[in-house]
Amino acid sequence: MKTHSSGNQSIRKVFSKLTFLSLVQAICIAESCRPTPNDAGQLSWSFPEVRSPRYQERLELAGRALAQNENLSHRFQTVAAEGQLASLLRAIESFLSLSSRHNSQSIHNGLNSNDNAIQRDVVLRSALASMEGVAESGAVSSRCINDTGYLLVSMFQRQGWALKFLDAAGKPGPGLSEFRVNFVGDYDLCQSLLSNGTETFRGDYVTWKIAIGPIIEDNPRATPMIEWGVCMPDGCTEEEITLFASEGKLCFSARNTVQSLGLNGTMNVLKAESHTKHTHVTAATFASIVILCVFGILMFAATLYDIVFLQWPHWEELRKAREEERLMNSGMPGSDTDLPTLLSRPNHDEPLILNENIQGSFPSPKGKLVKALLAFSVYTNGSKVLNTSQQPGSISCVHGIRFFSMAWVILGHVFAFCIGYIDNLVTQFPAFFSHATFDAVANALSSVDTFFTMSGLLVAYVSVTEMKRKRGQLNWGLFYFHRFWRLTPPYMLAIVLVLGLQQYCGQGPLWESLQPSDKVYCEKYWWTNLLYVNNLVHLDEPCFPHTWYLANDMQFYVISPLMIIPFYFNSFLGLCSCAIFFATHVITTGVLSAQHNWSASLIAAVNGDNFHSYFSDYYTTPWCRIGPYIVGIVTGYLLATKKNNIKLNWPIATVGWICAIAVALSVVYGLRGDISGDHPSSVLTAALYNALARSAWGICVAWVIVACVTGWGGFVNTFLSWSPFVVLSKLTYMAYLVHIYLINIYYGNQQTLVHMTSFNFAMIYVSIMVMTYGVSFVLMLALESPMIGLEKVFLPQR
């Protein structure tokens, strides 16, 4: 009983302070706040803003989390063991008791005493005095002051509607010693709240951000910070709410608490973020609506015309042919004499009349305008996408390789983008990376080299085959136009749709106010994507940043004739040309890697503090990534000219498979020491890896394709050629364009932080895969397939 009374007394002592803390103040010092006079002569404040992280910054965050998680975990475990969290835990206990039904009556009774009433009055007056001081500075509107003051007074009066604002605020939970300091509140509850009385306002869910230690300017998200979701009056702006937070009087105890954690005692207020849905109708929004309307009308009209005037007569002819076949094979209706003959024929459902005769009996589209319209037919385009038949002599295994490579890309991005949305980062990351098998996720970057290899292979295979057939004559204008037309219209349309519509795809406590994160950059530098130079210019402000691959691939395609044409005249000349490009690539990459001390892994590059140089000067530059493409060109020429002459036997095939598997495993799993940080590679070893590893991976992919084509693929070829992969492979391009933004939408729509486990991670990955390919199928019918159809209409010679 005595202990219970003592606990209530302790609660009563901190009750008023914690109320003011949760609504008006944050545990921080606004050392980064800078007052500036505005046009009216009044003071205004500017605070550092945590913008949405860019693509490369998300990869850096994953690397930082990996590099620091063991140190953070050890530090916090030591702090917890020494009992240095006692003061913070006591405050947490008191804070939680505020909304506890068990303690609410005792608090209420305690506050009825004269002493507590006096104390409550003193704290309330102090809080209101602080607000008046802020108001006198001219940086906060009278409406915000009045609404916040009214809410504060109503809380002290224990009014139910006001306590709901407090209930909607985030509350610290377990795991503080593991740095679980993102306190997410109840977004839906806050948004539904409405004040009572004379001051009418609604709830506005706001996140206070308090940086612990100096702010990392290049990547503010990498700064350790406390994030606290609170419910404030909607009459206050983000700047005003931030200013309230920076005026807190409990910063001294907070600094002591942070210092007790072994962290830097400097704390900076970052700009508060209001999560009231930020939607602004922009030019991209109008353009997106117009595009959807125009394409929707074209698709509807084309599908209707296709079914009514083309497909329906065809179906009628097929029905009549089947009826005639039934009569011809059965004699008179009901006769049993020829029934065994009919049933014994294995394909008795197929008409005896040849399809070409039927094709000539119903009208075909005439005129380019009609054919152009039919390019938008959902029925025809869907039939083509879902068609799994392949032409004789085609390289069927590439479909499975393409699908699994895209799945690998999505896997790496699902992992990298989860940083900031999970509540057990410190504990789960060591668990993930303690297993060497997880290196396939950490080093998923090799998947891109698979696409480079296949791109070079298919370009060389098709071009050399055409040059042989046409005796060296190839329309190089169409060669380049086809590539540009095949990629660019869907690419540009996807950018417009994402810019205009992503902001309407979610809301919640984790939904960032700027959607997409590269919105500003796309509005300024979209032309770099159109010209496929976004991997060379404005690297710090990228639009659709993951499309650096498309820029590289287009640049490789532009110079590919320099390696393909010599092959037509002489194999030796072609090999010499490829060797010159390859040697230049290897030497350049090796020298730059040694000069800049690049690590052997993108994630490990964070440990060497050269991440930005690694990403901008190595990872996205064409001269450092062309190796697998050259391997693909040589392989494509080999298959186009000597496919039937490649003779393998069991010893050679076995050795080839063993070597390919060994090299591939070395490329992916050979960086265990670099990824874990236990045994980082030397400068020379890292330079050698950066110069040769990606090409070595390309050689492994090339071997798989050659073995499958020449009949030595076995069950691997059977599996990679599985008909469903043919369909999924066709959706790869659209999946690549949109999957990043679907991942952002998924994580941003979470109402609470995700508790990541291996099972949860697998479920999230599978769900995003399904969502990505579902959306890609729709976009394929709407954006990509019509462009292919239009090219065939206006350029029939191809």
Side-chain angles (χ1 to χ4, degrees), residues 401 404-405 408 440 443-454 582 625 627-629 631-632 635 659-669 689 691-705:
I401 296 175
F404 283 109
S405 298
W408 199 6
N443 201 21
L445 313 172
S446 298
S447 57
V448 181
D449 298 306
T450 304
F451 284 108
F452 282 138
T453 303
M454 290 194 300
F582 188 78
R625 301 304 300 266
Y629 195 88
V631 172
T635 307
C659 291
I661 293 173
V663 172
L665 292 176
S666 299
V667 171
V668 177
Y669 294 100
Y689 182 92
L692 297 176
R694 302 190 182 281
S695 300
W697 178 265
I699 293 174
C700 297
V701 175
W703 163 259
V704 173
I705 296 175

Side-chain angles (χ1 to χ4, degrees), residues 620-676:
T620 63
T621 53
W623 44 86
C624 293
R625 301 304 300 266
I626 197 174
Y629 195 88
I630 299 173
V631 172
I633 285 182
V634 175
T635 307
Y637 167 76
L638 180 67
L639 294 177
T641 57
K642 304 181 184 302
K643 178 171 60 175
N644 297 327
N645 297 326
I646 300 177
K647 303 298 182 182
L648 300 178
N649 51 41
W650 277 108
I652 296 177
T654 302
V655 171
W657 276 108
I658 292 175
C659 291
I661 293 173
V663 172
L665 292 176
S666 299
V667 171
V668 177
Y669 294 100
L671 299 180
R672 172 99 288 250
D674 292 89
I675 293 176
S676 65

Side-chain angles (χ1 to χ4, degrees), residues 17 39 82 120 135 198 224 245 257 270 295 309 337 367 462 487 580 595 601 675 711 714 744 755 757:
K17 292 182 180 180
D39 296 338
E82 296 176 356
R120 178 184 59 180
T198 56
T257 301
L270 299 171
F295 276 67
F309 295 102
T337 55
V462 174
L487 297 181
I580 292 173
Q595 181 181 356
S601 168
I675 293 176
N744 282 333
H755 189 77
T757 63

Side-chain angles (χ1 to χ4, degrees), residues 752-775:
T752 60
L753 294 175
V754 178
H755 189 77
M756 189 64 73
T757 63
S758 297
F759 181 78
N760 286 348
F761 180 70
M763 293 299 293
I764 291 173
Y765 169 65
V766 171
S767 65
I768 289 179
M769 279 286 292
V770 174
M771 181 172 60
T772 297
Y773 277 90
V775 172

Side-chain angles (χ1 to χ4, degrees), residues 26 156 172 276 347 366 380 385 455 477 489 528 551 571 579 716 752:
F156 276 92
T276 299
N347 295 322
K366 296 181 180 180
T380 298
V385 173
S455 180
T528 62
S571 300
V716 174
T752 60

Side-chain angles (χ1 to χ4, degrees), residues 728 731 742 768-780:
L728 295 172
L731 304 177
L742 295 176
I768 289 179
M769 279 286 292
V770 174
M771 181 172 60
T772 297
Y773 277 90
V775 172
S776 299
F777 179 73
V778 176
L779 294 179
M780 176 77 176

